[in-house]
Amino acid sequence: MILESQRRQVVEHAPDLAALTPGRTGNLSVREGTTGDAFAVTPTGVPYDSFDAEDVPVVGVDGERRNGKMAPSSEVPMHAAIYRREDVGAIVHTHSPWSTAMAVAHQPLPPIHYMIVAVGKSVPVAEYAPYGTDELAANIVSSMDEADATATFVENHGLVVTAPDLETALENTHHVESLARLYLQTTAAGLEPETLSDEQLETVLEQFESYGQ
């Protein structure tokens, strides 16, 4: 089966979207390594726990469907565009509430906490375009490129996070959601969040190089 491992990963982790996004509106994808020419992606319009590996669509980075019993996510143009332009292995897209609140306010997330370095030194906001369009895909790629970030809010839409692998993409989606909540709760209390300097963020990045087992 084409991209067998990647399709199993989609089946395993698609239910994780339920905690991040309402209904069936989120999607995720994973490809082989960070340079593969095709990716496995969640099928469109079905519950996250209602499909098997053979159902999972496989799509080329050119956007052409290659395999799978079910139709792919309507956001295939976005996934394909990111894979064509970025050296990433997985993408997660959600309408998670705190991140989407930032998106509808057109508010980028500044470096209020050191964990932002998981996705960059800020989370920018991509310009709005109708979902599922090449225009939206281009806006998202441009937003992340300009900010040197691996995540972006999307105006009046939601959040997109990229990473070398699917587990990291999901983990970083939770990081951004948590920081968006922290930012909004601070401002809702009438307080002005203080931000970390570029020098402080660079120190965190150096520390993270030796973090973990």
Side-chain angles (χ1 to χ4, degrees):
M1 185 167 61
I2 300 174
L3 296 186
E4 182 176 1
S5 173
Q6 288 71 28
R7 293 164 94 173
R8 289 200 304 267
Q9 289 181 60
V10 169
V11 172
E12 178 183 357
H13 290 291
D16 296 339
L17 290 171
L20 288 161
T21 199
R24 307 168 190 176
T25 58
N27 45 78
L28 55 79
S29 67
V30 58
R31 68 173 167 179
E32 188 173 12
T34 57
T35 59
D37 67 351
F39 56 92
V41 62
T42 43
T44 187
V46 296
Y48 301 129
D49 59 355
S50 66
F51 52 87
D52 298 318
E54 61 267 23
D55 298 318
V56 174
V58 173
V59 180
V61 295
D62 57 3
E64 295 297 318
R65 181 178 174 185
R66 297 188 180 180
N67 210 327
K69 293 182 179 179
M70 292 183 171
S73 166
S74 59
E75 295 288 9
V76 156
M78 175 192 73
H79 290 260
I82 292 172
Y83 286 131
R84 287 195 301 270
R85 290 278 299 278
E86 304 292 340
D87 184 24
V88 300
I91 301 165
V92 175
H93 169 48
T94 73
H95 299 168
S96 44
W98 296 99
S99 294
T100 303
M102 300 289 284
V104 300
H106 299 192
Q107 174 64 51
L109 180 64
I112 59 170
H113 188 281
Y114 71 85
M115 276 309 302
I116 200 166
V117 299
V119 295
K121 295 180 180 179
S122 67
V123 179
V125 185
E127 186 177 351
Y128 178 84
Y131 77 88
T133 63
D134 291 333
E135 181 184 4
L136 178 62
N139 292 348
I140 289 169
V141 170
S142 176
S143 176
M144 290 192 290
D145 281 351
E146 290 177 8
D148 192 22
T150 59
T152 185
F153 302 126
V154 184
E155 289 181 354
N156 304 91
H157 189 152
L159 170 67
V160 176
V161 176
T162 68
D165 56 74
L166 190 51
E167 290 83 359
T168 302
L170 284 163
E171 180 180 0
N172 288 348
T173 299
H174 282 283
H175 283 320
V176 174
E177 179 69 358
S178 176
L179 294 178
R181 179 179 65 182
L182 181 62
Y183 178 87
L184 290 168
Q185 288 177 328
T186 303
T187 55
L191 304 173
E192 182 65 31
E194 297 290 342
T195 59
L196 296 170
S197 68
D198 192 71
E199 181 180 359
Q200 289 171 319
L201 294 173
E202 287 294 335
T203 299
V204 175
L205 286 168
E206 292 174 6
Q207 290 177 302
F208 271 24
E209 290 178 1
S210 59
Y211 178 77
Q213 300 298 312

